[in-house]
Amino acid sequence: MADCIFCKIAAGEVNAKVVYEDEDTLAFIDLNPQAPTHALVIPRRHIDRLTAAQDGDAALLGKLQIAAAKVAKILKVDGAFRLVTNNGKGAGQSVDHLHYHLLGGRKLLWPPG
């Protein structure tokens, strides 16, 4: 997607503080952190949201989970963190590119809100 900010970050066209990357995924620090540790984990390939994923995306979705665990370890929150995805604007999704928020560094309450 030519106008997708996360696609531009994944392509290296827009700068971000990258904390992890591999062939299929990328993780970078959120510019509007909601916790002391707040990273975004994205697939490099554009998928609008979780409900837009297809059966053929199962391996990629699994890679996102593994990447998130690696990011948590890199950021030293692997003992306690939350991984969240918002699906659609009504759920708070502000960028139409599938992404997971990795939140940590403080006690996270339940329910979240």
Side-chain angles (χ1 to χ4, degrees):
M1 300 286 292
D3 60 341
C4 174
I5 187 68
F6 288 175
C7 286
K8 290 178 180 180
I9 291 170
E13 297 169 8
V14 172
N15 289 332
K17 185 175 178 185
V18 173
V19 294
Y20 176 81
E21 63 182 309
D22 62 30
E23 183 178 324
D24 300 307
T25 67
L26 181 75
F28 52 93
I29 300 299
D30 194 300
L31 291 177
N32 184 27
Q34 302 300 304
T37 300
H38 188 168
L40 300 174
V41 184
I42 68 168
R44 288 185 180 273
R45 184 170 54 79
H46 186 89
I47 301 173
D48 282 346
R49 60 186 46 86
L50 187 56
T51 55
Q54 304 290 314
D55 288 343
D57 296 320
L60 178 57
L61 296 177
K63 287 180 180 183
L64 283 171
Q65 299 288 313
I66 298 300
K70 290 177 180 179
V71 171
K73 187 169 187 165
I74 290 165
L75 297 176
K76 299 182 181 3
V77 295
D78 51 317
F81 67 93
R82 182 170 290 157
L83 191 62
V84 177
T85 189
N86 301 315
N87 189 83
K89 295 199 185 325
Q93 184 177 2
S94 59
V95 177
D96 288 333
H97 185 119
L98 175 62
H99 58 284
Y100 290 91
H101 296 263
L102 188 145
L103 303 155
R106 67 169 167 82
K107 183 173 173 75
L108 299 168
L109 303 176
W110 195 262

XYZ file of all heavy atoms in Angstrom:
853
model
N 0.845 -1.178 0.000
C 0.000 0.000 0.000
C 0.892 1.242 0.000
O 1.655 1.470 0.942
C -0.889 0.000 1.235
C -1.819 -1.194 1.359
S -3.213 -1.159 0.248
C -4.129 0.206 0.887
N 0.785 2.038 -1.019
C 1.662 3.180 -1.206
C 1.523 4.240 -0.121
O 2.494 4.913 0.206
C 1.390 3.809 -2.572
N 0.341 4.401 0.455
C 0.143 5.456 1.444
C 0.151 4.951 2.888
O -0.113 5.705 3.810
C -1.153 6.216 1.161
C -2.379 5.316 1.212
O -2.232 4.085 1.106
O -3.491 5.853 1.362
N 0.480 3.699 3.131
C 0.483 3.108 4.469
C 1.788 3.443 5.194
O 2.870 3.074 4.740
C 0.302 1.591 4.379
S 0.476 0.751 5.965
N 1.679 4.125 6.324
C 2.870 4.534 7.074
C 3.674 3.326 7.545
O 4.906 3.360 7.532
C 2.508 5.476 8.250
C 3.764 6.034 8.911
C 1.634 4.767 9.277
C 4.543 6.983 8.084
N 3.011 2.246 7.939
C 3.749 1.069 8.406
C 4.452 0.374 7.240
O 5.556 -0.151 7.419
C 2.846 0.105 9.159
C 2.429 0.590 10.533
C 1.532 -0.139 11.281
C 2.926 1.762 11.079
C 1.144 0.288 12.548
C 2.551 2.195 12.343
C 1.651 1.461 13.081
N 3.860 0.373 6.065
C 4.542 -0.174 4.887
C 5.782 0.657 4.571
O 6.832 0.107 4.214
C 3.601 -0.211 3.689
S 2.340 -1.510 3.757
N 5.673 1.964 4.728
C 6.818 2.848 4.482
C 7.926 2.606 5.505
O 9.105 2.629 5.158
C 6.375 4.309 4.492
C 5.530 4.675 3.289
C 5.068 6.119 3.352
C 4.220 6.451 2.133
N 3.748 7.836 2.141
N 7.552 2.380 6.753
C 8.557 2.056 7.770
C 9.223 0.731 7.424
O 10.448 0.605 7.468
C 7.925 2.029 9.178
C 7.537 3.450 9.597
C 8.875 1.393 10.186
C 6.697 3.527 10.860
N 8.425 -0.273 7.060
C 8.960 -1.596 6.712
C 9.899 -1.529 5.511
O 10.881 -2.271 5.440
C 7.827 -2.578 6.450
N 9.624 -0.610 4.583
C 10.458 -0.457 3.391
C 11.671 0.434 3.646
O 12.506 0.613 2.749
C 9.619 0.120 2.252
N 11.779 1.016 4.833
C 12.897 1.900 5.133
C 12.731 3.304 4.589
O 13.674 4.085 4.582
N 11.527 3.648 4.146
C 11.265 4.977 3.583
C 10.969 6.014 4.666
O 11.062 7.214 4.419
C 10.094 4.912 2.604
C 10.358 4.020 1.409
C 9.107 3.760 0.586
O 8.058 4.390 0.851
O 9.173 2.907 -0.312
N 10.555 5.547 5.843
C 10.267 6.413 6.987
C 11.060 5.860 8.163
O 11.068 4.648 8.399
C 8.756 6.430 7.311
C 8.483 7.164 8.605
C 7.966 7.049 6.157
N 11.732 6.739 8.885
C 12.547 6.318 10.020
C 11.685 5.894 11.203
O 10.628 6.476 11.453
C 13.476 7.445 10.465
C 14.592 7.696 9.480
O 15.009 6.794 8.757
N 15.081 8.918 9.448
N 12.174 4.899 11.910
C 11.562 4.430 13.151
C 12.678 3.836 13.996
O 13.710 3.418 13.467
C 10.495 3.384 12.858
N 12.467 3.792 15.300
C 13.443 3.172 16.188
C 13.170 1.669 16.197
O 12.378 1.161 16.985
C 13.360 3.756 17.590
C 14.444 3.225 18.498
C 14.449 3.894 19.848
C 15.543 3.264 20.695
N 15.527 3.797 22.052
N 13.823 0.971 15.288
C 13.622 -0.468 15.104
C 14.340 -1.221 16.225
O 15.493 -0.950 16.522
C 14.148 -0.918 13.721
C 14.095 -2.432 13.577
C 13.352 -0.234 12.611
N 13.614 -2.161 16.834
C 14.206 -2.975 17.895
C 14.383 -4.431 17.471
O 15.135 -5.173 18.094
C 13.408 -2.894 19.212
C 13.477 -1.491 19.785
C 11.961 -3.326 19.019
N 13.696 -4.837 16.404
C 13.825 -6.204 15.903
C 13.335 -6.223 14.460
O 12.369 -5.536 14.107
C 12.984 -7.181 16.739
C 13.010 -8.588 16.184
C 14.080 -9.434 16.453
C 11.989 -9.055 15.366
C 14.125 -10.716 15.919
C 12.023 -10.337 14.835
C 13.091 -11.161 15.112
O 13.145 -12.432 14.579
N 13.999 -7.040 13.650
C 13.506 -7.263 12.287
C 14.016 -8.588 11.773
O 15.086 -9.063 12.148
C 13.889 -6.123 11.348
C 15.361 -5.906 11.134
C 15.613 -4.710 10.224
O 15.017 -4.632 9.129
O 16.421 -3.855 10.607
N 13.202 -9.188 10.936
C 13.602 -10.364 10.194
C 12.964 -10.260 8.813
O 12.443 -9.195 8.453
C 13.249 -11.668 10.939
C 11.762 -11.867 11.177
O 10.929 -11.389 10.374
O 11.407 -12.527 12.167
N 13.010 -11.313 8.059
C 12.511 -11.270 6.687
C 11.025 -10.916 6.597
O 10.587 -10.241 5.668
C 12.752 -12.638 6.030
C 12.349 -12.714 4.578
C 12.654 -14.073 3.964
O 13.678 -14.682 4.322
O 11.839 -14.518 3.143
N 10.236 -11.347 7.581
C 8.782 -11.204 7.511
C 8.171 -10.207 8.485
O 7.020 -9.811 8.320
C 8.123 -12.565 7.759
C 8.537 -13.593 6.730
O 8.408 -13.301 5.525
O 8.999 -14.684 7.121
N 8.919 -9.830 9.532
C 8.357 -8.984 10.584
C 9.286 -7.826 10.924
O 10.473 -7.856 10.609
C 8.085 -9.794 11.873
O 9.323 -10.219 12.433
C 7.196 -11.003 11.591
N 8.724 -6.842 11.584
C 9.473 -5.675 12.018
C 8.853 -5.188 13.316
O 7.626 -5.208 13.468
C 9.386 -4.578 10.953
C 10.131 -3.283 11.211
C 11.627 -3.485 11.009
C 9.629 -2.184 10.294
N 9.684 -4.756 14.245
C 9.193 -4.181 15.502
C 9.917 -2.874 15.758
O 11.127 -2.769 15.566
C 9.415 -5.149 16.651
N 9.159 -1.886 16.193
C 9.717 -0.567 16.451
C 8.979 0.087 17.614
O 7.864 -0.308 17.961
C 9.673 0.309 15.194
C 8.319 0.393 14.532
C 7.444 1.417 14.836
C 7.929 -0.556 13.604
C 6.199 1.489 14.229
C 6.688 -0.495 12.989
C 5.816 0.538 13.302
N 9.618 1.078 18.208
C 9.060 1.768 19.362
C 7.900 2.666 18.924
O 8.009 3.404 17.939
C 10.154 2.595 20.076
C 11.288 1.684 20.554
C 9.568 3.402 21.229
C 10.880 0.614 21.546
N 6.793 2.606 19.680
C 5.622 3.431 19.408
C 5.931 4.894 19.737
O 6.543 5.188 20.761
C 4.443 2.936 20.254
C 3.108 3.503 19.795
O 2.954 4.741 19.811
O 2.226 2.713 19.439
N 5.514 5.800 18.871
C 5.753 7.236 19.086
C 4.835 7.832 20.152
O 5.088 8.933 20.640
C 5.578 8.012 17.771
C 6.635 7.757 16.707
C 6.300 8.533 15.437
C 8.016 8.128 17.212
N 3.753 7.131 20.493
C 2.803 7.598 21.500
C 2.644 6.506 22.550
O 1.600 5.856 22.632
C 1.466 7.939 20.836
C 0.475 8.524 21.815
O 0.848 9.127 22.808
N -0.793 8.323 21.536
N 3.685 6.279 23.368
C 3.674 5.129 24.273
C 2.566 5.184 25.322
O 2.291 6.236 25.888
C 5.052 5.172 24.918
C 5.518 6.570 24.776
C 4.883 7.095 23.516
N 1.971 4.030 25.555
C 0.920 3.880 26.556
C 1.423 3.126 27.780
O 0.639 2.831 28.692
C -0.284 3.166 25.942
C -0.866 3.884 24.739
C -1.353 5.288 25.082
O -2.174 5.458 25.969
N -0.832 6.292 24.392
N 2.689 2.813 27.803
C 3.351 2.129 28.914
C 4.835 2.471 28.807
O 5.292 2.924 27.745
C 3.137 0.610 28.824
N 5.615 2.261 29.881
C 7.049 2.542 29.803
C 7.743 1.826 28.646
O 8.660 2.361 28.035
C 7.574 2.062 31.162
C 6.411 2.220 32.080
C 5.208 1.870 31.239
N 7.292 0.613 28.355
C 7.760 -0.119 27.176
C 6.570 -0.288 26.251
O 5.547 -0.854 26.647
C 8.321 -1.497 27.571
O 9.415 -1.308 28.470
C 8.776 -2.278 26.352
N 6.681 0.226 25.031
C 5.584 0.114 24.062
C 6.183 0.019 22.668
O 6.694 0.996 22.120
C 4.658 1.322 24.155
C 3.414 1.190 23.317
N 2.362 2.061 23.455
C 3.051 0.312 22.347
C 1.396 1.733 22.618
N 1.811 0.660 21.914
N 6.147 -1.185 22.116
C 6.634 -1.426 20.758
C 5.485 -1.909 19.889
O 4.492 -2.448 20.392
C 7.758 -2.464 20.773
N 5.615 -1.716 18.607
C 4.668 -2.226 17.630
C 5.352 -3.334 16.849
O 6.499 -3.182 16.427
C 4.214 -1.122 16.681
C 3.525 0.069 17.347
C 3.248 1.155 16.321
C 2.242 -0.359 18.030
N 4.651 -4.438 16.666
C 5.167 -5.579 15.910
C 4.256 -5.742 14.697
O 3.039 -5.914 14.846
C 5.176 -6.864 16.771
C 5.801 -8.016 15.993
C 5.910 -6.631 18.095
N 4.853 -5.673 13.503
C 4.064 -5.692 12.273
C 4.591 -6.744 11.296
O 5.767 -7.078 11.321
C 4.066 -4.317 11.568
C 5.448 -3.978 11.005
C 3.579 -3.222 12.508
C 5.475 -2.783 10.059
N 3.701 -7.227 10.424
C 4.208 -8.010 9.289
C 4.728 -7.028 8.237
O 4.189 -5.929 8.081
C 2.962 -8.746 8.786
C 1.827 -7.834 9.153
C 2.247 -7.152 10.436
N 5.777 -7.383 7.557
C 6.279 -6.508 6.485
C 5.255 -6.425 5.351
O 5.103 -5.373 4.729
C 7.602 -7.027 5.947
C 8.753 -6.825 6.922
C 10.073 -7.250 6.276
N 11.167 -7.063 7.197
C 11.847 -5.923 7.335
N 11.518 -4.874 6.619
N 12.844 -5.853 8.190
N 4.565 -7.534 5.109
C 3.544 -7.555 4.051
C 2.261 -6.921 4.585
O 1.854 -7.165 5.711
C 3.275 -8.993 3.602
C 2.310 -9.088 2.435
C 2.260 -10.484 1.854
N 1.966 -11.533 2.796
C 0.747 -11.823 3.257
N -0.299 -11.113 2.872
N 0.570 -12.823 4.094
N 1.656 -6.090 3.791
C 0.452 -5.376 4.213
C -0.747 -6.319 4.347
O -1.099 -7.027 3.414
C 0.112 -4.260 3.218
C -1.017 -3.410 3.676
N -0.825 -2.298 4.463
C -2.348 -3.522 3.493
C -1.998 -1.766 4.730
N -2.939 -2.488 4.155
N -1.327 -6.309 5.520
C -2.624 -6.915 5.804
C -3.365 -5.846 6.585
O -2.849 -5.335 7.584
C -2.501 -8.206 6.649
C -1.644 -9.246 5.943
C -3.876 -8.764 6.985
C -1.328 -10.475 6.786
N -4.558 -5.467 6.155
C -5.274 -4.359 6.786
C -5.510 -4.548 8.278
O -5.336 -3.636 9.058
C -6.631 -4.137 6.123
C -6.534 -3.400 4.801
O -5.470 -2.833 4.500
O -7.538 -3.397 4.068
N -5.985 -5.727 8.657
C -6.324 -6.015 10.058
C -6.409 -7.515 10.224
O -6.372 -8.261 9.233
C -7.627 -5.337 10.466
C -8.837 -5.754 9.641
C -10.099 -4.981 9.944
N -9.940 -3.551 10.032
C -9.984 -2.703 9.002
N -10.189 -3.175 7.794
N -9.822 -1.421 9.172
N -6.531 -7.963 11.438
C -6.544 -9.397 11.690
C -7.642 -10.117 10.923
O -7.415 -11.182 10.362
C -6.679 -9.673 13.194
C -6.531 -11.127 13.619
C -5.197 -11.716 13.162
C -6.695 -11.251 15.117
N -8.831 -9.532 10.834
C -9.922 -10.202 10.122
C -9.727 -10.217 8.614
O -10.475 -10.897 7.907
C -11.291 -9.574 10.462
O -11.249 -8.169 10.194
C -11.648 -9.822 11.921
N -8.730 -9.510 8.106
C -8.408 -9.558 6.676
C -7.410 -10.676 6.365
O -7.157 -10.966 5.196
C -7.853 -8.221 6.204
N -6.857 -11.291 7.401
C -5.903 -12.391 7.186
C -6.627 -13.590 6.577
O -7.810 -13.840 6.855
C -5.246 -12.779 8.506
N -5.909 -14.320 5.758
C -6.444 -15.499 5.073
C -5.809 -16.763 5.655
O -4.821 -16.679 6.393
C -6.121 -15.407 3.576
C -6.614 -14.152 2.898
C -8.117 -14.115 2.768
O -8.732 -15.102 2.376
N -8.713 -12.990 3.107
N -6.330 -17.917 5.290
C -5.753 -19.180 5.758
C -4.265 -19.268 5.425
O -3.473 -19.769 6.218
C -6.480 -20.378 5.138
C -7.880 -20.573 5.704
O -8.188 -20.004 6.779
O -8.667 -21.301 5.065
N -3.879 -18.745 4.280
C -2.483 -18.775 3.863
C -1.567 -17.876 4.691
O -0.351 -17.936 4.547
N -2.143 -17.054 5.556
C -1.362 -16.165 6.411
C -1.037 -16.782 7.768
O -0.405 -16.134 8.605
C -2.117 -14.849 6.646
C -2.310 -14.046 5.373
O -1.365 -14.008 4.553
O -3.394 -13.456 5.198
N -1.442 -18.026 7.992
C -1.261 -18.650 9.307
C 0.203 -18.662 9.748
O 0.514 -18.335 10.894
C -1.831 -20.065 9.312
N 1.109 -19.005 8.860
C 2.524 -19.038 9.235
C 3.029 -17.636 9.583
O 3.768 -17.465 10.557
C 3.365 -19.634 8.105
N 2.613 -16.641 8.833
C 3.019 -15.273 9.112
C 2.487 -14.813 10.468
O 3.198 -14.169 11.244
C 2.543 -14.324 8.010
C 2.860 -12.846 8.196
C 4.360 -12.610 8.362
C 2.296 -12.039 7.039
N 1.243 -15.153 10.776
C 0.674 -14.780 12.068
C 1.449 -15.438 13.209
O 1.684 -14.808 14.250
C -0.809 -15.139 12.133
C -1.706 -14.395 11.137
C -3.136 -14.901 11.243
C -1.639 -12.901 11.337
N 1.862 -16.671 13.013
C 2.695 -17.345 14.003
C 4.043 -16.660 14.161
O 4.549 -16.500 15.280
N 4.624 -16.223 13.041
C 5.910 -15.516 13.097
C 5.788 -14.204 13.868
O 6.718 -13.795 14.559
C 6.435 -15.257 11.689
C 6.946 -16.507 10.999
C 7.442 -16.196 9.610
C 7.960 -17.456 8.923
N 8.508 -17.159 7.597
N 4.626 -13.545 13.759
C 4.414 -12.315 14.517
C 4.450 -12.586 16.020
O 5.019 -11.813 16.787
C 3.079 -11.672 14.145
C 3.025 -10.911 12.830
C 1.583 -10.525 12.511
C 3.899 -9.672 12.890
N 3.858 -13.702 16.428
C 3.858 -14.070 17.849
C 5.284 -14.344 18.327
O 5.688 -13.881 19.398
C 2.982 -15.295 18.081
C 1.523 -15.109 17.722
C 0.798 -14.213 18.704
O 0.930 -14.374 19.910
N 0.042 -13.279 18.191
N 6.045 -15.085 17.554
C 7.431 -15.395 17.917
C 8.262 -14.108 17.945
O 9.075 -13.899 18.855
C 8.041 -16.423 16.942
C 7.268 -17.752 17.000
C 9.532 -16.622 17.197
C 7.263 -18.428 18.357
N 8.048 -13.237 16.968
C 8.770 -11.958 16.948
C 8.435 -11.139 18.191
O 9.327 -10.526 18.793
C 8.429 -11.173 15.678
N 7.166 -11.133 18.593
C 6.770 -10.384 19.788
C 7.503 -10.909 21.025
O 7.964 -10.129 21.861
C 5.264 -10.457 19.975
N 7.622 -12.219 21.149
C 8.340 -12.802 22.287
C 9.809 -12.384 22.262
O 10.390 -12.077 23.316
C 8.207 -14.321 22.273
N 10.410 -12.349 21.081
C 11.804 -11.914 20.962
C 11.949 -10.441 21.332
O 12.898 -10.052 22.014
C 12.318 -12.155 19.539
C 12.490 -13.627 19.211
C 12.922 -13.825 17.770
C 13.091 -15.304 17.455
N 13.492 -15.536 16.054
N 11.002 -9.620 20.899
C 11.029 -8.193 21.225
C 10.901 -7.995 22.731
O 11.618 -7.185 23.324
C 9.915 -7.435 20.464
C 9.787 -6.002 20.963
C 10.190 -7.463 18.969
N 10.012 -8.743 23.369
C 9.853 -8.643 24.822
C 11.168 -8.950 25.535
O 11.546 -8.266 26.486
C 8.744 -9.580 25.293
N 11.874 -9.954 25.042
C 13.161 -10.308 25.643
C 14.187 -9.198 25.403
O 14.909 -8.797 26.317
C 13.658 -11.639 25.086
C 14.892 -12.147 25.775
C 15.199 -13.570 25.400
C 16.362 -14.055 26.265
N 16.515 -15.476 26.237
N 14.255 -8.683 24.187
C 15.192 -7.596 23.859
C 14.929 -6.386 24.747
O 15.860 -5.742 25.235
C 15.073 -7.207 22.368
C 15.625 -8.325 21.480
C 15.766 -5.879 22.072
C 15.242 -8.204 20.011
N 13.654 -6.073 24.976
C 13.285 -4.897 25.763
C 13.211 -5.191 27.256
O 12.816 -4.320 28.039
C 11.956 -4.324 25.251
C 11.989 -3.812 23.807
C 10.606 -3.361 23.371
C 13.004 -2.681 23.657
N 13.566 -6.418 27.629
C 13.658 -6.829 29.033
C 12.328 -6.771 29.778
O 12.273 -6.398 30.954
C 14.733 -6.020 29.757
C 16.116 -6.199 29.164
C 17.149 -5.435 29.930
C 18.557 -5.514 29.433
N 18.922 -6.192 28.284
N 11.247 -7.135 29.082
C 9.934 -7.231 29.730
C 9.332 -8.623 29.538
O 8.128 -8.816 29.718
C 8.946 -6.141 29.221
C 9.425 -4.759 29.613
C 8.716 -6.250 27.725
N 10.181 -9.599 29.184
C 9.672 -10.926 28.852
C 9.038 -11.639 30.044
O 8.294 -12.600 29.869
C 10.741 -11.800 28.193
C 12.043 -11.854 28.954
O 12.509 -10.802 29.425
O 12.611 -12.959 29.065
N 9.249 -11.158 31.263
C 8.605 -11.758 32.423
C 7.151 -11.343 32.586
O 6.362 -12.058 33.206
N 6.777 -10.181 32.024
C 5.406 -9.676 32.146
C 5.159 -8.606 31.086
O 5.748 -7.525 31.138
C 5.174 -9.096 33.538
N 4.322 -8.930 30.142
C 3.956 -7.958 29.111
C 2.578 -8.306 28.578
O 2.048 -9.380 28.826
C 4.986 -7.910 27.975
C 5.067 -9.155 27.131
C 4.320 -9.282 25.969
C 5.908 -10.201 27.490
C 4.405 -10.432 25.181
C 6.003 -11.341 26.719
C 5.246 -11.458 25.561
N 2.005 -7.373 27.854
C 0.708 -7.588 27.206
C 0.891 -7.393 25.716
O 1.586 -6.478 25.273
C -0.319 -6.591 27.753
C -1.707 -6.793 27.165
C -2.744 -5.966 27.889
N -2.926 -6.525 29.228
C -3.399 -5.846 30.265
N -3.739 -4.575 30.128
N -3.533 -6.425 31.442
N 0.237 -8.250 24.927
C 0.258 -8.158 23.472
C -1.177 -7.934 23.017
O -2.049 -8.755 23.297
C 0.836 -9.439 22.873
C 1.169 -9.411 21.393
C 2.240 -8.374 21.089
C 1.621 -10.786 20.933
N -1.421 -6.806 22.330
C -2.774 -6.391 21.980
C -2.842 -6.061 20.497
O -1.923 -5.438 19.955
C -3.175 -5.126 22.775
C -4.549 -4.624 22.371
C -3.101 -5.376 24.259
N -3.947 -6.439 19.863
C -4.229 -5.943 18.521
C -5.640 -5.386 18.509
O -6.539 -5.931 19.148
C -4.033 -7.017 17.436
O -4.114 -6.393 16.151
C -5.068 -8.113 17.506
N -5.802 -4.276 17.828
C -7.123 -3.672 17.659
C -7.572 -3.985 16.235
O -6.800 -3.820 15.299
C -7.050 -2.156 17.870
C -6.543 -1.804 19.253
O -6.968 -2.392 20.240
N -5.629 -0.863 19.335
N -8.816 -4.418 16.094
C -9.334 -4.796 14.782
C -10.452 -3.839 14.379
O -11.577 -3.960 14.854
C -9.847 -6.242 14.807
C -10.177 -6.736 13.421
O -9.298 -7.170 12.703
N -11.442 -6.651 13.029
N -10.119 -2.851 13.556
C -11.101 -1.881 13.089
C -11.110 -0.615 13.931
O -10.665 -0.602 15.073
N -11.618 0.435 13.339
C -11.623 1.740 13.998
C -12.415 1.732 15.306
O -12.026 2.374 16.275
C -12.153 2.801 13.044
C -11.224 3.000 11.850
C -11.429 4.292 11.149
C -10.603 4.451 9.899
N -9.288 3.893 9.869
N -13.522 0.995 15.362
C -14.332 0.921 16.571
C -13.599 0.297 17.742
O -13.962 0.517 18.896
N -12.541 -0.459 17.459
C -11.722 -1.071 18.509
C -10.477 -0.245 18.804
O -9.666 -0.624 19.640
C -11.319 -2.486 18.101
N -10.311 0.874 18.098
C -9.164 1.734 18.339
C -8.038 1.607 17.333
O -6.976 2.206 17.516
N -8.236 0.847 16.251
C -7.183 0.717 15.246
C -7.079 2.027 14.475
O -8.036 2.461 13.837
C -7.472 -0.437 14.291
C -6.363 -0.675 13.291
C -6.612 -1.882 12.378
O -7.646 -2.537 12.459
N -5.659 -2.160 11.518
N -5.904 2.667 14.542
C -5.723 3.959 13.877
C -4.897 3.858 12.599
O -4.902 4.785 11.795
C -5.092 4.973 14.833
O -3.842 4.512 15.285
N -4.175 2.765 12.411
C -3.408 2.531 11.184
C -3.908 1.227 10.583
O -3.898 0.186 11.244
C -1.888 2.449 11.464
C -1.125 2.123 10.185
C -1.383 3.751 12.068
N -4.379 1.288 9.340
C -4.923 0.103 8.671
C -3.803 -0.782 8.137
O -3.609 -0.928 6.924
C -5.880 0.513 7.551
C -7.189 1.058 8.086
O -7.585 0.677 9.196
O -7.813 1.875 7.389
N -3.049 -1.343 9.062
C -2.003 -2.331 8.784
C -1.937 -3.155 10.063
O -1.738 -2.596 11.146
C -0.666 -1.632 8.526
C 0.454 -2.547 8.116
N 1.102 -2.434 6.909
C 1.057 -3.578 8.763
C 2.062 -3.348 6.831
N 2.050 -4.063 7.959
N -2.139 -4.446 9.946
C -2.125 -5.308 11.113
C -0.900 -5.027 11.969
O 0.225 -4.961 11.456
C -2.125 -6.782 10.679
C -1.999 -7.821 11.794
C -3.178 -7.746 12.749
C -1.868 -9.205 11.195
N -1.122 -4.825 13.262
C -0.003 -4.603 14.174
C -0.399 -5.007 15.582
O -1.562 -4.958 15.958
C 0.483 -3.152 14.138
C -0.549 -2.122 14.484
N -1.545 -1.747 13.611
C -0.727 -1.378 15.600
C -2.298 -0.817 14.173
N -1.822 -0.575 15.399
N 0.613 -5.426 16.327
C 0.440 -5.791 17.723
C 1.157 -4.755 18.576
O 2.284 -4.371 18.274
C 1.020 -7.181 17.998
C 0.218 -8.288 17.377
C 0.512 -8.750 16.100
C -0.848 -8.856 18.060
C -0.235 -9.753 15.517
C -1.603 -9.868 17.479
C -1.292 -10.305 16.214
O -2.038 -11.293 15.642
N 0.496 -4.327 19.633
C 1.110 -3.455 20.626
C 1.702 -4.349 21.703
O 0.987 -5.146 22.316
C 0.057 -2.544 21.272
C -0.577 -1.589 20.324
N -0.158 -0.285 20.202
C -1.605 -1.747 19.454
C -0.910 0.321 19.300
N -1.788 -0.547 18.826
N 2.986 -4.219 21.947
C 3.642 -4.926 23.033
C 3.846 -3.900 24.143
O 4.550 -2.909 23.963
C 4.979 -5.504 22.578
C 5.649 -6.427 23.592
C 6.384 -7.539 22.873
C 6.573 -5.684 24.518
N 3.153 -4.117 25.273
C 3.155 -3.173 26.388
C 3.751 -3.825 27.612
O 3.425 -4.971 27.938
C 1.718 -2.742 26.707
C 0.951 -2.127 25.541
C -0.539 -2.292 25.734
C 1.325 -0.675 25.391
N 4.615 -3.104 28.305
C 5.215 -3.634 29.521
C 5.914 -2.546 30.307
O 5.813 -1.359 29.988
N 6.613 -2.964 31.343
C 7.369 -2.025 32.151
C 6.589 -1.426 33.304
O 7.093 -0.568 34.026
N 5.335 -1.857 33.491
C 4.514 -1.445 34.622
C 3.453 -2.510 34.850
O 3.235 -3.368 33.993
C 3.864 -0.088 34.390
C 2.809 -0.071 33.271
C 2.039 1.242 33.291
N 1.242 1.449 32.105
C 0.027 0.928 31.892
N -0.526 0.149 32.799
N -0.623 1.184 30.778
N 2.791 -2.449 35.997
C 1.701 -3.383 36.261
C 0.551 -3.061 35.319
O 0.132 -1.913 35.215
C 1.242 -3.285 37.714
C 0.166 -4.276 38.067
C -0.128 -4.258 39.551
C -1.293 -5.113 39.919
N -1.036 -6.518 39.917
N 0.074 -4.065 34.619
C -1.029 -3.892 33.673
C -2.293 -4.452 34.304
O -2.343 -5.617 34.691
C -0.693 -4.598 32.351
C 0.556 -4.061 31.658
C 0.997 -4.987 30.536
C 0.316 -2.669 31.121
N -3.296 -3.627 34.414
C -4.534 -4.007 35.089
C -5.487 -4.723 34.146
O -5.398 -4.618 32.934
C -5.195 -2.754 35.688
C -4.329 -1.966 36.659
C -5.063 -0.704 37.093
C -3.945 -2.815 37.859
N -6.447 -5.425 34.743
C -7.484 -6.107 33.981
C -8.827 -5.829 34.614
O -8.917 -5.851 35.827
C -7.215 -7.611 33.951
C -8.031 -8.293 32.905
C -9.209 -8.961 33.100
C -7.762 -8.335 31.508
N -9.684 -9.414 31.897
C -8.811 -9.040 30.898
C -6.758 -7.839 30.709
C -8.883 -9.256 29.542
C -6.831 -8.060 29.352
C -7.868 -8.777 28.778
N -9.858 -5.520 33.878
C -9.894 -5.436 32.413
C -9.191 -4.175 31.915
O -9.094 -3.189 32.642
C -11.376 -5.426 32.086
C -12.051 -4.879 33.291
C -11.192 -5.285 34.463
N -8.729 -4.220 30.658
C -7.940 -3.111 30.141
C -8.741 -1.849 29.838
O -8.173 -0.772 29.794
C -7.313 -3.673 28.869
C -8.213 -4.765 28.454
C -8.791 -5.332 29.716
N -10.029 -1.957 29.553
C -10.767 -0.704 29.298
C -11.871 -0.813 28.336
O -12.170 -1.675 27.661
